[in-house]
Amino acid sequence: MKQTQKITVQIEGMMCGMCEAHICDSIRRAIPEARKVSASHANGEATFLIDGSIDAAWLKKNIAETGYKMLSLRAEPYVKKGLFGF
């Protein structure tokens, strides 16, 4: 069984909610198995969950084609919390 990872991507160029939607769509196109995809222009980042690893260069290319710049990518193990955070 593959380890679930939380991926956090720093992105330059997001200015509004529509930019967030473009980034989420770009991530979903590049990595169809990504789950819980979200983006925040205020924080300048996008996050998603994935089982296994990803090709950072492929993701960077897809984000660049949308008109934004991926600055960094951080992966960390994701542990699902149960009811009431336990």
Side-chain angles (χ1 to χ4, degrees), residues 10-38:
Q10 289 297 124
I11 298 171
E12 182 180 275
M14 288 192 294
M15 305 300 278
C16 64
M18 195 56 143
C19 296
E20 294 171 356
H22 289 152
I23 290 296
C24 289
D25 289 345
S26 179
I27 291 170
R28 287 185 187 107
R29 272 194 312 273
I31 306 167
E33 59 274 7
R35 303 183 318 274
K36 295 190 178 186
V37 180
S38 66

Side-chain angles (χ1 to χ4, degrees), residues 1-74:
M1 185 172 155
K2 293 181 179 178
Q3 170 80 28
T4 299
Q5 295 189 72
K6 178 181 178 185
I7 307 296
T8 303
V9 183
Q10 289 297 124
I11 298 171
E12 182 180 275
M14 288 192 294
M15 305 300 278
C16 64
M18 195 56 143
C19 296
E20 294 171 356
H22 289 152
I23 290 296
C24 289
D25 289 345
S26 179
I27 291 170
R28 287 185 187 107
R29 272 194 312 273
I31 306 167
E33 59 274 7
R35 303 183 318 274
K36 295 190 178 186
V37 180
S38 66
S40 168
H41 71 279
N43 296 332
E45 66 181 26
T47 61
F48 60 94
L49 302 179
I50 188 165
D51 294 330
S53 60
I54 66 164
D55 182 346
W58 175 249
L59 180 59
K60 185 174 185 172
K61 177 183 176 292
N62 277 271
I63 289 173
E65 288 174 356
T66 309
Y68 303 91
K69 183 176 180 181
M70 184 175 104
L71 301 175
S72 67
L73 183 142
R74 183 176 72 245

Side-chain angles (χ1 to χ4, degrees), residues 72-84:
S72 67
L73 183 142
R74 183 176 72 245
E76 57 190 302
Y78 175 76
V79 178
K80 184 177 180 180
K81 295 180 180 169
L83 194 58
F84 305 113

